[in-house]
Amino acid sequence: MVGATALVVGATVVTATGQAAQAAPSPGAAVVINEVYGGGGNSGATYRRDFVELANVSTSAVDLSGWSVQYASSGSTATSSWAVTPLTGTLPPGASLVVGEATGTGGTTDVPVDIDGSIAMSGSAGKVALVRSGTAITGCTPKTGAAACSGLDAVVDFVGWGSANDYAGTEAAPGTTNATSVSRDGAHTNTASNAADFTLANPPTPQACGDACVPAPPGPEARTIAEVQGPGASSPLAGQTVTTRGVVTAAYPEGGFRGFYLQTEGTGGGRDLSAASDGVFVYQASGALDADAVIGNFVEVTGEVQESFGLTRVNAAASDISDAGEDFTPVSPVTNPWPGADAQRESLEGMLFRPSGPYTVTNTYATNQYGEVGLAVGTEPLIQTTEVAVPGSDEAKAVAADNAARKVTLDDGASSNFLASSFSRTTCAGRPIPCLLNADQTPPYVSTTAPVRVGAPAAFADSVIVDYRFDLWRFQPTSPVVGPGNAGSPVVFTDTRTPAPDAMDIGAADLKVASFNVLNYFTTLGAETEGCLAYYDRDDSGTTVRDGCELRGAWDAADFQRQQAKIVTAVNGLDADVVGLMEVENSAALGEQPDEALAHLVSALNEQAGAGTWAFVPSSTELPPASGQDVITNAIIFKPASVMRVGQSRALGTQSEDGQAFGNAREPIAQVFRKKHGKSEKFLFVVNHFKSKGSAGPFPGDEDTGDGQGASVTSRILQAQALRDWVPTVLDETGTRAVVMAGDYNSYTREDPMDVLYDAGYTDAGSRLDRDDHDDPDDPYSNPYSYSFSGLSGSLDHILVNDAALALATGADHWNINSGESVALEYSRYRYHGTDFYEPGPYRSSDHDPVVLGLRATAKR
């Protein structure tokens, strides 16, 4: 390591602008990253703080003013993920300089620091860049991309270590632990290859330069909040110590934010959205929140201006926060409509804001983890692009742009992770792994009596703070919202639950059919099967199968009863005569009696609905051998009092080998039905479950191309083609005209696999006949989609009909009982929180919403 070197009088100083340009990173760089340590303050660490050490390997002093050290996580791809620590001062030749980053509670030794930062770095892997600019790196990609961040002209040196997806040279430096750093040798060898130049150091050896490198900073300069914010995404004063004044508009003494918001006195109301913001976050790294940080107080703050993952803030100690008196003009909330462009939103960052007009819930998936609710401006949730537009089309791009313009996240004023868990045996201290760490806490915005659901109106009763964290624009309450009572919530949500499918949408039907994915209904339990591993609740009791075996459902009998109670209530609540089910245990594939799980479900349905209400269609003899089938299967149940089977059950069982259409999906099954009493037309009821989007199948084109269809689109196209070709053969053999094809097609409405079936003459009854009528008094908030993913609504579940069946159709409805509900209500999340959210009703019985179609017995003449 290089020790501190006194500044040589008269030495030549090479400035940032005067230094000879080098290709980044270059063996000829004057200043290099000499050592990187991210385990500071962690368990097992020697040092209490992360650090990055720089070394001047040239013969001239280098002025670091305007430069920065930047960090991103090992796998990050978003350009907004680079955190910045500005540099200042002059680094003499042969000297090293230590940039201190985030501190922790572990460790025993302080790091000698020349420049203070606050970036939390990983103890095992990450990316650090020395940049000839104070602006966060942007417009680049990982190493395998077209423009790697490590190759940007502004990058002087770059170190990727561990599993980093970018690095200098052809390979990253080795991964570290909490006790080790990566470091160059004593000669600072620099071949611009991280793997060759860096080895592990245990212990790390930070060597600071002291006053010879970094002169004492000047005193703080008085600045307005608008000057601190600046006109762009980053503060022009980052790294400088300033004094500013404002009115406290929000305070977060608990919950992890550790700070409060200030707004320039007298500001608010209608606003010029091209102006710099008049609000800023004041961060206190330690200690109790200052006593003057009370909403409505006028305070003065002195601290360093920082950019923290896109949020401009002033980092101040309690001793640097003081009451500024009572002679000030109060602030008011900004009253502009929520702007759709990031540049205009920057004008509001940190300011008090009163949302106006309609907002709609669009995302509840992370509500029970982070206490946040995705919102969409307007009366509709955000929509999957391929639900309403051809993949990759200009129309799809317009939908994506509209989604971005309408999207904002309601937060809870805290940084709590209510689902934090650990696989560390030390952390879990004898508890089963993974153990929940915060299960005594209750997330806000989750309720069984006042549910927050996708598609529900969100009415703002109070003002919020415009905030930017974790790559999202957010509305923060002015104080933390705490569950389960949700005191302090600025929003009132409308309860949009319905007790049954919408009879008005379904129409005057003689029969009803439905499609329902029941989310891994398994009667074979993980607790009773060798090798199975579980997820655990707050009491360390298993809830669902995690890994280690073929099973997918409930862990033990108690979990299964909770799951089954919800499914039974949901299926009976459909009031359908024929139901196609997906994700039912394939008992035969598990070496058990065929249809064993299905028979168990029908028995439970009849126990609630009455003996003999339901029956099931037995597995077809046309299925391939059980060894060639998936562990989940499709199934058909029906009410023998209203419909009757005609002929035997059918299956497409000749396309299940590797390399064939259904080698990676569940075989389609079918049964001909007719109304039991009176004159009626027969119809062929088909149940499908195509390959999922999550992983690539074996066919060319199965990789995710980024057009919105996900992975395995070729597999799903082949499955649609095989289905298209098979169904007519069954019609001919059974003398049937009408076809009703239900299922989870894992394809949104405008995607290529669906086009195969549309071109064959089928109509999607759900998208055509579910009217989404907001004037319907029985269901004014109908959401005509069956699935919600990443805050975008669309239908993966469809009931398709040919022309003969369309002539019988009376209407359709998506019964929104699952996809829009918080996952906290699912049986699989039983006792994950301090409040028990489980109820045996239909809501969140699965992750897919069922679709119901009404049929006449005969076509209209």
Side-chain angles (χ1 to χ4, degrees):
M1 283 299 166
V2 177
T5 302
L7 181 62
V8 179
V9 177
T12 301
V13 176
V14 181
T15 66
T17 55
Q19 181 178 345
Q22 299 285 351
S26 166
V31 180
V32 297
I33 299 170
N34 201 52
E35 185 173 11
V36 178
Y37 176 57
N42 295 346
S43 175
T46 298
Y47 287 100
R48 297 189 176 103
R49 189 171 189 179
D50 300 341
F51 70 83
V52 177
E53 181 182 293
L54 307 179
N56 183 351
V57 297
S58 73
T59 57
S60 299
V62 176
D63 182 1
L64 300 179
S65 300
W67 291 28
S68 62
V69 165
Q70 302 192 22
Y71 169 82
S73 62
S74 61
S76 65
T77 57
T79 55
S80 61
S81 61
W82 286 89
V84 178
T85 298
L87 302 180
T88 187
T90 300
L91 184 58
S96 64
L97 175 148
V98 175
V99 180
E101 298 294 359
T103 59
T105 58
T108 57
T109 305
D110 290 330
V111 175
V113 169
D114 297 303
I115 293 178
D116 274 310
S118 60
I119 301 172
M121 296 163 54
S122 168
S124 59
K127 296 172 293 192
V128 171
L130 175 61
V131 184
R132 198 181 292 108
S133 166
T135 302
I137 291 174
T138 187
C140 57
T141 66
K143 192 72 172 181
T144 56
C149 297
S150 60
L152 294 178
D153 288 342
V155 173
V156 179
D157 198 12
F158 193 100
V159 177
W161 78 100
S163 58
N165 61 12
D166 198 0
Y167 36 80
T170 59
E171 187 177 347
T176 55
T177 67
N178 292 340
T180 59
S181 66
V182 286
S183 176
R184 297 182 190 272
D185 60 18
H188 317 303
T189 300
N190 178 20
T191 66
S193 171
N194 290 165
D197 296 341
F198 285 85
T199 58
L200 296 178
N202 187 359
T205 53
Q207 296 291 321
C209 183
D211 291 343
C213 289
V214 186
E221 184 177 357
R223 294 282 192 167
T224 67
I225 292 175
E227 289 174 328
V228 171
Q229 281 281 5
S234 300
S235 172
L237 304 180
Q240 299 182 30
T241 299
V242 301
T243 296
T244 193
R245 288 184 168 195
V247 180
V248 178
T249 54
Y252 310 99
E254 299 175 344
F257 275 16
R258 305 191 63 84
F260 55 95
Y261 276 95
L262 284 185
Q263 185 168 320
T264 304
E265 63 170 312
T267 59
R271 184 168 180 78
D272 177 3
L273 297 183
S274 65
S277 170
D278 277 300
V280 71
F281 184 66
V282 178
Y283 175 71
Q284 279 188 237
S286 61
L289 200 62
D290 186 80
D292 293 314
V294 176
I295 293 175
N297 277 8
F298 188 46
V299 301
E300 182 175 278
V301 173
T302 298
E304 181 186 354
V305 180
Q306 299 177 339
E307 287 294 328
S308 178
F309 298 96
L311 176 69
T312 301
R313 71 186 192 187
V314 176
N315 191 359
S319 58
D320 295 320
I321 301 168
S322 60
D323 191 304
E326 299 181 0
D327 184 16
F328 66 94
T329 304
V331 301
S332 61
V334 174
T335 55
N336 297 55
W338 178 239
D342 282 348
Q344 293 178 318
R345 294 173 180 178
E346 284 287 348
S347 176
L348 303 178
E349 182 187 272
M351 295 191 71
L352 196 63
F353 178 74
R354 184 58 183 262
S356 59
Y359 284 77
T360 300
V361 176
T362 195
N363 193 354
T364 60
Y365 187 78
T367 302
N368 74 313
Q369 181 167 13
Y370 298 119
E372 62 186 38
V373 178
L375 299 179
V377 177
T379 59
E380 303 286 343
L382 306 182
I383 305 299
Q384 288 284 353
T385 59
T386 54
E387 175 64 27
V388 294
V390 173
S393 66
D394 289 343
E395 183 184 4
K397 294 174 184 176
V399 175
D402 178 70
N403 286 340
R406 295 197 296 126
K407 177 180 180 180
V408 67
T409 298
L410 173 68
D411 212 337
D412 63 343
S415 56
S416 302
N417 180 350
F418 298 97
L419 291 180
S421 62
S422 176
F423 282 82
S424 166
R425 297 192 182 278
T426 301
T427 302
C428 292
R431 298 172 61 194
I433 293 175
C435 62
L436 293 172
L437 303 179
N438 294 326
D440 59 329
Q441 303 175 16
T442 295
Y445 309 128
V446 179
S447 174
T448 56
T449 57
V452 179
R453 294 160 35 91
V454 171
F460 281 85
D462 290 301
S463 299
V464 294
I465 298 292
V466 176
D467 184 56
Y468 187 85
R469 295 171 194 263
F470 302 104
D471 298 327
L472 291 174
W473 287 102
R474 298 170 182 269
F475 289 161
Q476 297 290 354
T478 56
S479 59
V481 179
V482 180
N486 299 328
S489 171
V491 176
V492 177
F493 299 97
T494 299
D495 182 355
T496 60
R497 284 179 174 176
T498 57
D502 188 350
M504 181 178 289
D505 280 357
I506 295 171
D510 298 313
L511 295 173
K512 285 177 278 188
V513 299
S515 176
F516 191 13
N517 182 321
V518 293
L519 186 58
N520 297 319
Y521 176 86
F522 273 63
T523 55
T524 305
L525 304 175
E528 301 169 1
T529 304
E530 184 178 357
C532 289
L533 302 174
Y535 287 108
Y536 295 95
D537 65 15
R538 68 187 185 211
D539 297 325
D540 300 331
S541 174
T543 56
T544 55
V545 175
R546 171 171 61 89
D547 204 352
C549 61
E550 292 185 297
L551 307 185
R552 302 186 184 182
W555 179 250
D556 60 23
D559 299 311
F560 172 73
Q561 289 302 321
R562 283 187 284 271
Q563 178 191 26
Q564 180 173 263
K566 297 184 79 68
I567 292 173
V568 164
T569 306
V571 172
N572 278 327
L574 291 169
D575 192 31
D577 302 285
V578 180
V579 181
L581 303 174
M582 293 109 254
E583 294 197 16
V584 175
E585 173 191 294
N586 188 348
S587 301
L590 295 177
E592 300 166 3
Q593 288 297 315
D595 301 322
E596 182 177 319
L598 181 59
H600 196 286
L601 175 58
V602 167
S603 177
L605 288 166
N606 286 334
E607 184 177 348
Q608 184 183 82
T613 300
W614 291 97
F616 66 87
V617 174
S619 293
S620 173
T621 58
E622 296 173 343
L623 287 167
S627 60
Q629 299 177 40
D630 198 350
V631 294
I632 55 172
T633 189
N634 303 318
I636 302 172
I637 59 175
F638 66 99
K639 291 179 177 176
S642 56
V643 295
M644 58 185 296
R645 295 172 58 208
V646 179
Q648 301 300 308
S649 59
R650 307 298 300 267
L652 174 52
T654 59
Q655 292 287 319
S656 301
E657 298 291 334
D658 290 344
Q660 294 183 311
F662 285 93
N664 62 353
R666 281 61 53 180
E667 293 79 12
I669 62 172
Q671 175 68 58
V672 175
F673 287 99
R674 74 186 318 152
K675 192 169 182 292
K676 187 167 186 179
H677 301 291
K679 184 179 179 181
S680 67
E681 296 187 31
K682 298 187 297 183
F683 63 93
L684 178 68
F685 187 70
V686 186
V687 182
N688 309 282
H689 189 185
F690 287 2
K691 174 71 177 75
S692 69
K693 296 174 176 286
S695 60
F699 302 105
D702 267 344
E703 65 280 0
D704 188 344
T705 63
D707 67 352
Q709 299 191 86
S712 294
V713 65
T714 301
S715 288
R716 291 190 293 276
I717 289 173
L718 293 173
Q719 288 152 17
Q721 291 171 341
L723 179 65
R724 173 200 64 193
D725 297 341
W726 173 66
V727 167
T729 67
V730 181
L731 294 178
D732 290 344
E733 293 169 8
T734 60
T736 307
R737 295 175 57 251
V739 181
V740 178
M741 296 198 302
D744 175 1
Y745 293 79
N746 272 307
S747 305
Y748 293 108
T749 301
R750 297 295 301 277
E751 293 185 358
D752 295 344
M754 302 306 297
D755 278 343
V756 171
L757 299 172
Y758 302 151
D759 291 343
Y762 292 97
T763 297
D764 180 12
S767 60
R768 176 163 175 174
L769 301 177
D770 187 354
R771 295 175 299 195
D772 186 21
D773 187 356
H774 289 272
D775 295 325
D776 178 358
D778 295 325
D779 191 11
Y781 306 110
S782 174
N783 187 15
Y785 308 109
S786 74
Y787 201 67
S788 178
F789 183 76
S790 292
L792 304 177
S793 292
S795 286
L796 298 177
D797 307 86
H798 306 272
I799 298 180
L800 301 180
V801 294
N802 65 357
D803 288 343
L806 184 60
L808 302 175
T810 61
D813 185 52
H814 294 79
W815 190 23
N816 303 132
I817 55 175
N818 295 322
S819 68
E821 297 271 355
S822 171
V823 71
L825 278 58
E826 211 171 88
Y827 89 96
S828 63
R829 303 315 196 266
Y830 180 69
R831 289 184 178 172
Y832 266 39
H833 302 293
T835 299
D836 182 6
F837 292 113
Y838 176 80
E839 286 188 344
Y843 306 106
R844 200 64 194 192
S845 52
S846 176
D847 54 345
H848 291 246
D849 292 327
V851 188
V852 184
L853 172 67
L855 296 172
R856 302 180 187 89
T858 59
K860 284 185 175 180
R861 300 297 183 185

